[in-house]
Amino acid sequence: MNPMNPEPKSAAENKAPAAAAGATLKYLPTIGLEIHAELKTTTKMFCGCLNNPDEEHPNYNVCPICMGHPGTLPVINKQAVKHVLKMGTAVGGTLADFTEFDRKNYFYPDIPKGYQISQYKFPLVTGGSLAGVELTRVHLEEDTATSKHDQGDFSQVDFNRAGVPLMELVTEPVIHSAEQAADFAKELQTLLRYLGAGDANMEKGEMRVEANISVALADENPAKGLDVPAKKFGTKVEVKNLNSFRAAERAITYEIARHIDLLERGEKIIQETRGWDENSQKTFSQRVKEDSHDYRYFPDPDLPKLKLSEAPEFSKENLKKELPELPWEKRARLKNDFGLKDDDADMFVKNEMYGKFFDLVVKNVDLNKNKEVTKKAITLAANYIASDVAGFIKNTDIKNIPVSNEAFAKLMLMLAEGKLSSRAGKDILKIMFEKGGDPEAIVNEHGLMQKNDEGELKTIIEKILAEYPNVVADYKNGKESALMFFVGQGMKATKGSANPELLKKITIEAIH
Ligand code: ADP
Ligand code: MG
Ligand code: ZN
């Protein structure tokens, strides 16, 4: 075997170029994503029909415009334009000044006009980056109707979705692993939610990921790592029907392995569109792509061209002002200001309600004067929310828990001040999750307050020492474990409410 070309790595190993920088990897996978997201607006993209993704009655939110009747006139939805411009601002892209909508002509039963209104030459947003991935463009178009093929010989079409505003985001071919692709999609989902632009549930089809995958023979290039020159990209395959992050990650992993396998056997990769089969966990050929689909794009003559600088509400300053704290800003804040671990920070960012709860708790804890206790309480809060609270909540919404952020903050402060043992903290939290209430009241009711009264503990310890003179002698003869025996007895005598550190100290003092 040629030492410069070691055994091909499995698809899973053959991932991050960073890990491979300087090494001689034989294959470099490249992925570019095209992601569609339905936007949250009151009405559809070009008509006054309600945009209600939860409407269950088929063909309920329809009108002649979204049904594509001839002679109707579409009107641009400002709210949808704004969502995309905000997205563009968040990712640092260039916002178009001049923009227009184009007709993308093709026939399908779910597109009754015979064309989809989309954007071609003048997308609303060009460039920008997200999660370290450069973006090509973000544009606005309309969703199609949905077809159902589960009625025997018939197919049915539901037009509720026809004309719903749809954002399309295209990345540059710069992703090099399935995991990175999934991370990117997750960050986009989080961003859409933060911007209030969409719910982006993949399972509901509100966000749809298409992955373009190619595998190239990579030269060793220590300076640039494994950056393959554009003309040497492998043949790309597009994979559709990815209905979850897991499906996206698995399909990409599968495709990379399939390409490497074909290349190993000296076979050619066919440029085609493939689907993902959830049952077999495999991709399958759907259609071989003709060179370039001729959609005969042309500007829609029914819609006005837009000059965005003429709309003050779309000015860069205005859009910037309206941005919330962005996911990556929040991640950095949680880590820098409160020393949160990466995983906890990421959980609070992705799970917006957890993050909000944490922020409210911090606000309450911050009212405390003792800075050291405050700091301790915040760290405790992060740990408790990420593990214990998450465990209690399971599938209910954190909005509906009976524990108020004030009560939770109070509990964290009591723990930080050493008034409660961590065992008692967990017991109290459990009670709070069952029936709400104030932690101090619960503590008093159940006698859970950690005993820090030295005088009281001293009396208890002295009684125990008198009971076990042999163990005292053992300790005096150097048997260290005897000390823990007394602490254990002390905990028992106080029903677990004593501060063990204090018991230890008092025992040592009492013996000497
Ligand atoms: P098409 O004309 O087939 O739609 P584009 O050039 O517009 O192709 O790219 C569509 C998507 O495919 C983009 O996300 C882009 O990053 C990705 N892409 C392009 N070339 C490659 C490649 N060689 N490997 C992987 N992805 C690619
Ligand atoms: Mg394309
Ligand atoms: Zn309509």
Side-chain angles (χ1 to χ4, degrees), residues 77-91:
N77 183 331
K78 230 181 193 176
Q79 209 184 359
V81 173
K82 191 159 190 179
H83 280 322
V84 175
L85 291 176
K86 273 171 121 174
M87 169 64 67
T89 309
V91 298

Side-chain angles (χ1 to χ4, degrees), residues 44 46-50 61-67 162:
K44 290 187 182 181
F46 299 111
C47 64
C49 291
L50 279 186
N61 292 318
V62 295
C63 76
I65 295 175
C66 56
M67 298 283 284

Side-chain angles (χ1 to χ4, degrees), residues 30-34 170-173 212-214 233-234 236 289:
T30 296
I31 300 135
L33 299 174
E34 293 168 281
V170 182
T171 80
E172 289 289 293
N212 299 272
I213 300 142
S214 67
F233 272 130
K236 80 169 181 190
K289 212 170 183 174

Side-chain angles (χ1 to χ4, degrees), residues 4-5 20-26 217-227 232:
M4 295 301 286
N5 278 334
T24 19
L25 262 193
K26 196 170 174 187
L217 280 167
D219 295 328
E220 189 187 17
N221 185 344
K224 287 187 77 186
L226 279 166
D227 218 11
K232 290 177 80 182

